[in-house]
Amino acid sequence: MEFRIGNGFDVHKLINGDSVILCGVKIPHDKALSGHSDADVGYHSICDALYGALSKGDIGTHFPATSKKWENANSTIFLKHAHSLVNNLEYKIMNIDTTFICERPKISNYCTQMKNNIAAILKIDISRISIKATTTEGLGFCGREEGIACLTTVGLFRNE
């Protein structure tokens, strides 16, 4: 078997709003994430981890922020694309480990829904997906609630 590991990281600025979208889940909040697309840091970091494991660049390589085509795009499109590359190269997703870095909103009540969304798009069992969150104890831009960051590690395998 061949194993590959990928790491992805994304961050988006918080602006005035009424909700954030994390892994396809709209979470009520007194702010929103700003970005060229829907600014879903969860899906973006998973995409980058998958692209990285496949040595296929990053999300900006495939969906440049300079292109009007992707303005306000639903990040599900990006995750489906990353999944198609995984399938085309005959890999399987062993696991996904995602960590949100933010003071608020608290995401624990939304983790199951996020996992269900990811599992449905990537066609993997929910038991292969971990979603968690941490704070920065008030330090840095995340601690000042200026943005939300997300880090993801994925494992891929295929039979040779």
Side-chain angles (χ1 to χ4, degrees):
M1 295 186 95
E2 179 185 358
F3 294 93
R4 290 187 172 218
I5 296 171
N7 185 268
F9 179 79
D10 195 43
V11 62
H12 282 277
K13 179 180 175 179
L14 284 164
I15 59 173
N16 288 331
D18 62 4
S19 62
V20 295
I21 297 172
L22 300 175
C23 291
V25 178
K26 188 174 182 177
I27 300 172
H29 190 42
D30 60 353
K31 297 182 181 181
L33 289 167
S34 174
H36 185 67
S37 65
D38 62 6
D40 187 330
V41 294
Y43 279 175
H44 293 183
S45 71
I46 295 169
C47 288
D48 274 353
L50 292 169
Y51 291 138
L54 297 170
S55 300
K56 295 293 183 185
D58 61 18
I59 197 166
T61 302
H62 301 277
F63 304 96
T66 54
S67 172
K68 288 255 186 218
K69 181 176 182 179
W70 308 118
E71 194 170 346
N72 300 315
N74 184 319
S75 293
T76 301
I77 296 166
F78 309 151
L79 193 55
K80 286 180 178 180
H81 177 265
H83 183 240
S84 73
L85 291 180
V86 169
N87 286 339
N88 291 345
L89 294 169
E90 299 180 354
Y91 284 93
K92 302 281 185 212
I93 298 171
M94 188 167 43
N95 71 306
I96 296 172
D97 184 17
T98 297
T99 304
F100 289 97
I101 307 163
C102 59
E103 301 297 316
R104 295 182 312 121
K106 298 301 180 196
I107 67 160
S108 58
N109 292 337
Y110 304 96
C111 290
T112 300
Q113 191 176 351
M114 289 182 203
K115 288 192 223 180
N116 285 332
N117 289 348
I118 295 164
I121 293 167
L122 299 179
K123 302 187 181 351
I124 61 173
D125 191 88
I126 194 170
S127 67
R128 295 180 178 265
I129 303 165
S130 171
I131 302 273
K132 55 197 180 301
T134 190
T135 70
T136 60
E137 308 267 336
L139 301 172
F141 73 90
C142 287
R144 292 186 301 271
E145 298 186 44
E146 296 171 358
I148 295 178
C150 189
L151 176 66
T152 298
T153 302
V154 300
L156 303 180
F157 70 94
R158 73 173 172 188
N159 294 322
E160 291 191 335

